[in-house]
Amino acid sequence: MAQFVNFLLLVVSLIAFAPLCFCTKSNYGYLYPQFYDHSCPNAQQIVKSVVAKAVAKETRMAASLLRLHFHDCFVKGCDASILLDSSGSIISEKMSNPNRNSARGFEVIDDIKSALEKECPHTVSCADIMALSARDSTVLAGGPSWEVPLGRRDSKGASLSGSNNNIPAPNNTFQTILTKFELQGLNVVDLVALSGSHTIGNSRCVSFRQRLYNQSGNGQPDYSLDQSYAAQLRTRCPKSGGDQNLFFLDFVSPTKFDNSYFKLLLASKGLLNSDQVLVTKNEASMELVKKYAYNNELFFEQFAASMVKMGNISPLTGSKGEIRKYCRKINS
């Protein structure tokens, strides 16, 4: 009997001292929102404050920081590999087709890292900074909030080929885009919900020019694009030149995170081919677009859930990777 009582006391003490943890199991360990509660209690507030200043200075930065997290997670997992500059054996992902002349927000990440290093040196990873920045940017633009599981560590390398091959491209077919999502453990629901991030931000003329002039290589435009909208786009996106000219992805409410993007898709006014194919090439995705177009709350709920899921792609945890001192370079 005494042995049983001792056993019960042991169990009770273990439960009492176990950290409260809403953990998400990944292939490499656990991430949980309270990861920095003791080691750097002000971490989330510092990230939020720097992001808020950056977005107040330039509204577009919210979309840029959200995109940065997405482009990081689809290459080797959410490990901040996209932040590394070329040096030694590292060839930067910043030079890849999806990132060159378009990935931005690196200076904001630098500012956050600098503030965190002052507060709690060598503690908060660049990968976690990106995950938090994506959430805070979404909220600042009027979108949903979510608890960000934390505890990622930073990679010691980058993958230019991974960046070129794994990130969905604007002119990819629906099936190619879906396959790229499925390879990351994401599904069609995640694909449609995360595409909804195109409710904010811009795209360059070079990313959708083929839709205006030569969609299938036969000199014909993409007739799934509303033709009056196409005529409007041609005024600032000529057949040649103007590659870097910027256009709103959602021209109805370009800086407000809402479900207007989905309504535009139903009106054949999605800017990128990768947007419009969600309606024209797959029944399951079309039904999801309709659901989100009619129900903003449902979109917000699924977007938050899919962001957590994306943020859990192959994180480095435990003793893997490192906590970089400067996000642009590995520790020496």
Side-chain angles (χ1 to χ4, degrees):
M1 182 68 182
Q3 274 182 320
F4 181 67
V5 170
N6 286 339
F7 172 73
L8 274 181
L9 285 171
L10 176 65
V11 170
V12 169
S13 66
L14 283 172
I15 291 169
F17 291 104
L20 184 63
C21 171
F22 302 102
C23 304
T24 42
K25 183 77 170 73
S26 70
N27 297 333
Y28 296 85
Y30 287 95
L31 302 179
Y32 54 101
Q34 302 82 8
F35 190 82
Y36 297 111
D37 280 8
H38 299 294
S39 59
C40 194
N42 294 326
Q44 297 206 37
Q45 192 50 50
I46 289 168
V47 175
K48 191 176 176 181
S49 165
V50 178
V51 171
K53 278 180 199 153
V55 173
K57 190 175 167 188
E58 185 195 12
T59 316
R60 182 187 170 203
M61 190 52 71
S64 300
L65 291 170
L66 187 50
R67 184 172 184 255
L68 211 50
H69 181 45
F70 171 58
H71 281 212
D72 180 49
C73 290
F74 267 58
V75 183
K76 295 167 70 267
C78 309
D79 61 0
S81 60
I82 194 173
L83 302 178
L84 291 170
D85 288 335
S86 293
S87 96
S89 62
I90 294 170
I91 302 169
S92 178
E93 292 170 19
K94 296 174 186 178
M95 303 310 294
S96 72
N97 292 327
N99 294 331
R100 194 172 55 247
N101 298 325
S102 68
R104 57 200 300 279
F106 300 108
E107 295 79 8
V108 179
I109 302 295
D110 290 341
D111 290 346
I112 297 168
K113 183 61 174 169
S114 171
L116 285 167
E117 283 298 311
K118 280 179 193 151
E119 176 81 9
C120 25
H122 204 68
T123 303
V124 183
S125 69
C126 302
D128 278 345
I129 289 171
M130 294 175 79
L132 289 166
S133 300
R135 188 270 312 273
D136 294 342
S137 294
T138 302
V139 172
L140 284 163
S145 186
W146 60 91
E147 273 203 311
V148 179
L150 300 165
R152 300 166 192 80
R153 288 167 65 85
D154 302 323
S155 71
K156 295 181 182 179
S159 175
L160 182 66
S161 62
S163 189
N164 275 321
N165 298 325
N166 300 359
I167 298 169
N171 57 352
N172 280 161
T173 64
F174 175 83
Q175 194 49 56
T176 299
I177 295 166
L178 182 59
T179 299
K180 287 180 178 182
F181 269 74
E182 287 174 339
L183 286 170
Q184 305 296 344
L186 303 173
N187 58 31
V188 68
V189 177
D190 302 310
L191 163 57
V192 178
L194 293 172
S195 294
S197 63
H198 286 179
T199 177
I200 55 173
N202 303 276
S203 183
R204 298 172 298 153
C205 162
V206 70
S207 298
F208 60 86
R209 175 183 281 125
Q210 86 283 352
R211 298 191 75 199
L212 304 179
Y213 302 102
N214 190 19
Q215 174 69 349
S216 308
N218 59 1
Q220 294 296 305
D222 181 355
Y223 290 110
S224 73
L225 179 64
D226 178 87
Q227 290 307 293
S228 63
Y229 180 42
Q232 205 181 323
L233 294 171
R234 284 187 196 101
T235 61
R236 288 186 50 244
C237 186
K239 266 188 180 177
S240 62
D243 284 11
Q244 307 302 319
N245 290 353
L246 292 175
F247 295 77
F248 292 130
L249 286 157
D250 166 1
F251 64 83
V252 173
S253 53
T255 60
K256 187 170 189 288
F257 198 102
D258 57 20
N259 65 341
S260 157
Y261 162 82
F262 296 107
K263 293 174 183 176
L264 286 171
L265 293 190
L266 294 177
S268 303
K269 292 177 180 177
L271 184 61
L272 304 176
N273 181 67
S274 54
D275 295 322
Q276 202 57 52
V277 292
L278 298 180
V279 169
T280 59
K281 300 294 181 186
N282 182 274
E283 203 162 321
S285 68
M286 181 179 72
E287 287 307 314
L288 288 162
V289 168
K290 284 180 183 171
K291 277 184 184 175
Y292 300 149
Y294 299 134
N295 189 335
N296 193 55
E297 201 176 315
L298 183 68
F299 163 49
F300 275 22
E301 200 177 291
Q302 186 56 55
F303 183 80
S306 293
M307 282 297 289
V308 171
K309 197 171 166 187
M310 184 185 80
N312 285 331
I313 298 172
S314 307
L316 299 172
T317 58
S319 60
K320 295 185 172 73
E322 64 180 13
I323 306 295
R324 286 183 216 143
K325 187 176 181 185
Y326 302 101
C327 290
R328 292 171 182 262
K329 61 180 189 178
I330 59 172
N331 298 336
S332 48

